[in-house]
Amino acid sequence: MLRQARKAVSVQPEPEDLGGGLWSVPVPIPDNPLAYTLVYAVESPEGPVLIDAGWQHEDAWAALRDGLGTFGIDMSDVRGVVVTHFHPDHSGLAGRVRETSGAWIAMHHADAEIVRRFHAVGQGGRREFELTALRRAGAGESELAGPSRQTQVSPPAVPDREVSDGDLLDVPGRRLRAIWTPGHSPGHICLHLEDGDRIFTGDHVLPRITPHIGLYPYDTPDIDPLSDFLGSLDKVSAMTVDEVLPAHQYRFNGLSGRAQEIIAHHEERLAEVTALLSAAPVTLWDLTAGLHWRHAWADMPQQARRMAAAEAAAHLRTLETRGVARRDGADDPLRYVLR
């Protein structure tokens, strides 16, 4: 999931032939300001390979099927689906594509493990997990009333293939290489089309907005998703590629410059979090409420507040890693002080 765009995308683009045996198909995301996911198809002699698949919904399926049909591609011809990360607007239709064509599904092994965990646990108990997390953050009981209003989605299809950093994907006649870029998810990957000098960035680098970087649960030990994300941005910033093809919004040039802008944004956010810390302990919830958000805290629904707290927790973990902040005590709710 992404931080919401400054304004909803009102016009959905048309399927487009990008040249060099590459096509893009906008696949709608129902009731979401992002409006659509850009699914890309890479031509090969043994059938096209999709990069992401879109949200699991009949309208999305029709858009993907008909969009590919614009270029004479039948869904049954699809050879494989490379999922940049497990989030439902990227992985949702991968299973249906596989059922239709027999295509393989590939995903980084870190996200594949999360998908297997989703299938093992199921939807039961999710609401109680959310409420427990909010209480631990310091939310009052009055703030926990009512439903979370989060759309329930089925877990993504379990992938057939797992990839690691630097692997070449099974796209005959092409050179499509996986670049592990953790942060937005543990197994997020970008994909470098080496024979076309293009990079598919998924949600890692977008032209105008930044992906959500959250820590779930809020005090999970031994992981630091924001530091991972910043390192991943440095990694792709060092690449020289001609064109950036993200999963949302629009294609652009200038990968390094945009990556550095996103790094600067998070450094500013880290400074903002630091400014709210002192020797007096502050709960994660109160600290989150004190940060600047696109919408006023009082107007944010519970689900948005939960994600905001996860983002604040990720920034606090990076400050802990840097020796700037520390957790105060081991009891709930979670409290933090300057180190």
Side-chain angles (χ1 to χ4, degrees), residues 277-282 316 324-328 335-339:
L277 294 170
S278 68
V282 59
L316 282 163
V324 175
R326 65 174 175 83
R327 182 177 170 188
D328 182 65
R335 294 183 174 87
Y336 296 88
V337 296
L338 281 175
R339 183 176 290 277

Side-chain angles (χ1 to χ4, degrees), residues 57-78:
H57 189 278
E58 284 301 322
D59 291 347
W61 175 255
L64 179 59
R65 179 197 62 213
D66 296 346
L68 292 173
T70 302
F71 311 114
I73 300 171
D74 191 274
M75 193 68 77
S76 62
D77 298 330
V78 175

Side-chain angles (χ1 to χ4, degrees), residues 60-300:
W61 175 255
L64 179 59
R65 179 197 62 213
D66 296 346
L68 292 173
T70 302
F71 311 114
I73 300 171
D74 191 274
M75 193 68 77
S76 62
D77 298 330
V78 175
R79 173 180 175 82
V81 182
V82 187
V83 179
T84 60
H85 59 297
F86 73 88
H87 294 168
D89 54 325
H90 297 259
S91 63
L93 286 174
R96 189 164 177 180
V97 174
R98 180 168 62 189
E99 291 170 3
T100 303
S101 67
W104 46 259
I105 300 172
M107 188 182 294
H108 188 274
H109 56 79
D111 274 16
E113 176 58 31
I114 293 173
V115 171
R116 285 192 291 269
R117 202 179 309 155
F118 283 161
H119 281 269
V121 173
Q123 294 285 358
R126 179 172 179 172
R127 179 59 177 154
E128 189 54 41
F129 172 85
E130 292 176 353
L131 292 175
T132 298
L134 293 171
R135 290 187 181 100
R136 295 203 65 215
E141 290 300 317
S142 63
E143 298 174 285
L144 306 181
S148 67
R149 297 182 183 177
Q150 182 176 12
T151 302
Q152 298 296 315
V153 295
S154 299
V158 176
D160 318 276
R161 304 181 180 187
E162 298 183 19
V163 300
S164 298
D165 187 36
D167 285 354
L168 280 173
L169 278 299
D170 179 15
V171 189
R174 312 301 296 263
R175 291 185 63 82
L176 185 66
R177 192 177 300 278
I179 305 167
W180 183 38
T181 50
H184 183 50
S185 80
H188 190 289
I189 54 173
C190 294
L191 295 151
H192 184 199
L193 187 63
E194 295 177 344
D195 58 275
D197 198 26
R198 289 160 153 166
I199 186 170
F200 306 92
T201 56
D203 284 354
H204 184 57
V205 181
L206 299 164
R208 286 195 302 112
I209 56 176
T210 60
H212 172 68
I213 310 297
L215 181 61
Y216 298 97
Y218 301 141
D219 63 336
T220 305
D222 304 324
I223 63 171
D224 185 350
L226 179 57
S227 290
D228 290 343
F229 180 61
L230 297 176
S232 298
L233 287 169
D234 271 333
K235 183 178 183 178
V236 299
S237 178
M239 298 178 64
T240 55
V241 293
D242 183 53
E243 187 177 30
V244 183
L245 296 91
H248 302 286
Q249 300 188 314
Y250 50 84
R251 306 187 307 280
F252 65 99
N253 302 105
L255 173 63
S256 180
R258 179 57 184 148
Q260 291 301 316
E261 286 177 359
I262 298 172
I263 290 172
H265 160 77
H266 282 286
E267 291 297 339
E268 291 172 2
R269 193 63 154 175
L270 287 163
E272 184 183 5
V273 173
T274 301
L276 293 176
L277 294 170
S278 68
V282 59
T283 68
L284 173 59
W285 197 252
D286 287 342
L287 186 146
T288 305
L291 292 170
H292 175 75
W293 303 100
R294 181 174 181 271
H295 298 287
W297 180 256
D299 298 332
M300 291 169 64

